[in-house]
Amino acid sequence: MNASPSPSVPPAGSAGPDALRTLLDRPLPAVMGVLNVTPDSFSDGGDFIAPDQALARARAMIEAGVDIIDIGAESTRPYKGAQPVTAADELSRLKPVLSDIVALGVPVSIDSMKAEVVAFALDRGAAIANDVWGLQRDADMAPVVAARGVPVIVMHNRDSVDSAIDIVADMKAFFLRSLDIAAKAGIARDRIVLDPGIGFGKTAEQSMIALARLHELDMFGLPILVGASRKRFIASVSPSEPKERLAGSIAAHLIAARKGAKIIRTHDVAETLQALRVANAIESKQ
């Protein structure tokens, strides 16, 4: 299906299409809150699939100070076991709740690898596209993003894990391909955010290497998003279940912020914001 719009499609963006640029200009990283309207996400599957639960969760994140709400209707968990769903499945989960969440006034990003779903969400006020396959899985994705002029988060991913590779070199090569696709589609470079894809197609060791060498992505001159929240690599250091990984998540995110990440994607908005603010206050006294 070609999901590209006609010229009559209105501009997307709760809080305006330039909302992300405003957030990136601030001294502290923007905090993106995870909202999974799915039955099988690795950490909170089923918790917010009912529309009233999803809306309550969005309101709670806004009260906690979230900058962006990232809504996803298909589990893209970075481990085996996620069940692929159709675009119709995703849309059936989004339709009852998306407009109400957009109406809350905080920029909304749509987390989907399907251009049809992204187009639907952007046309109903979502401000950002978040593609876990970095414009490389659905050929219609880049044209949809380009036509609407919205920012896009381009995440590194792999179909399989290979412990023998240099994961940072792999990320660089992947992003070069994504940026070429974006340029050919007409996506403005200043609308692109890179995401190293912590946990996706990576061993626990490679996820930690990606964080430790995050500064190497500075070569692209683009803002970086890091989402290490509750990821399995934390348990490789300190055995724990997903909802027991708050401290490890915050440790990873503080390191990412120190290395220049401009957006932090998290399940735990209030705690992450507090950690970022305290770390920044202490460092400002040097």
Side-chain angles (χ1 to χ4, degrees):
M1 173 181 177
N2 188 335
S4 296
S6 69
S8 63
V9 171
S14 59
D18 291 323
L20 181 60
R21 186 176 302 170
T22 301
L23 291 172
L24 294 177
D25 286 340
R26 302 185 323 185
L28 282 179
V31 171
M32 172 185 281
V34 178
L35 179 56
N36 291 315
V37 290
T38 60
D40 58 343
S41 293
F42 82 97
S43 174
D44 56 4
D47 288 357
F48 310 113
I49 195 166
D52 59 338
Q53 294 171 324
L55 191 57
R57 178 62 172 170
R59 287 177 171 143
M61 288 195 289
I62 291 170
E63 185 176 350
V66 79
D67 296 303
I68 305 163
I69 295 174
D70 188 47
I71 186 167
E74 175 182 12
S75 174
T76 52
R77 63 169 76 185
Y79 323 119
K80 293 179 180 179
Q83 297 299 313
V85 300
T86 66
D89 292 329
E90 286 189 62
L91 292 173
S92 71
R93 296 169 182 174
L94 288 170
K95 285 177 180 177
V97 72
L98 179 63
S99 293
D100 287 339
I101 291 174
V102 167
L104 296 175
V106 169
V108 171
S109 63
I110 175 64
D111 182 354
S112 179
M113 65 183 82
K114 299 181 183 69
E116 180 181 353
V117 175
V118 169
F120 170 86
L122 295 177
D123 291 345
R124 283 150 186 84
I128 303 163
N130 183 5
D131 182 5
V132 299
W133 276 100
L135 307 176
Q136 297 186 36
R137 183 53 56 98
D138 186 333
D140 286 333
M141 185 70 79
V144 161
V145 172
R148 286 156 177 81
V150 296
V152 61
I153 297 162
V154 170
M155 196 190 84
H156 172 265
N157 212 333
R158 292 178 53 83
D159 282 310
S160 60
V161 174
D162 183 351
S163 61
I165 65 171
D166 179 336
I167 197 63
V168 177
D170 193 78
M171 288 161 50
K172 291 175 182 177
F174 181 97
F175 288 140
L176 285 171
R177 292 193 297 273
S178 293
L179 291 172
D180 183 60
I181 292 168
K184 288 176 178 175
I187 298 173
R189 193 176 177 92
D190 66 0
R191 296 277 178 167
I192 299 172
V193 175
L194 303 181
D195 177 353
I198 303 303
F200 287 81
K202 300 171 183 66
T203 65
E205 180 78 6
Q206 287 172 333
S207 287
M208 290 187 281
I209 289 170
L211 286 166
R213 295 171 58 188
L214 192 67
H215 62 281
E216 293 188 36
L217 299 182
D218 291 348
M219 62 178 279
F220 295 104
L222 294 171
I224 305 296
L225 178 151
V226 169
S229 185
R230 304 183 183 179
K231 295 290 177 66
R232 185 178 290 180
F233 81 88
I234 297 168
S236 75
V237 177
S238 179
S240 50
E241 295 301 314
K243 291 185 179 179
E244 300 169 345
R245 298 173 188 163
L246 173 60
S249 302
I250 287 175
H253 286 150
L254 289 179
I255 289 171
R258 187 177 302 152
K259 291 181 178 292
K262 296 297 291 182
I263 306 173
I264 300 298
R265 183 179 183 273
T266 180
H267 298 82
D268 303 291
V269 172
E271 296 87 347
T272 302
L273 271 168
Q274 184 182 80
L276 290 168
R277 288 168 178 166
V278 171
N280 181 69
I282 293 169
E283 290 174 348
S284 71
K285 306 303 179 186
Q286 296 182 35

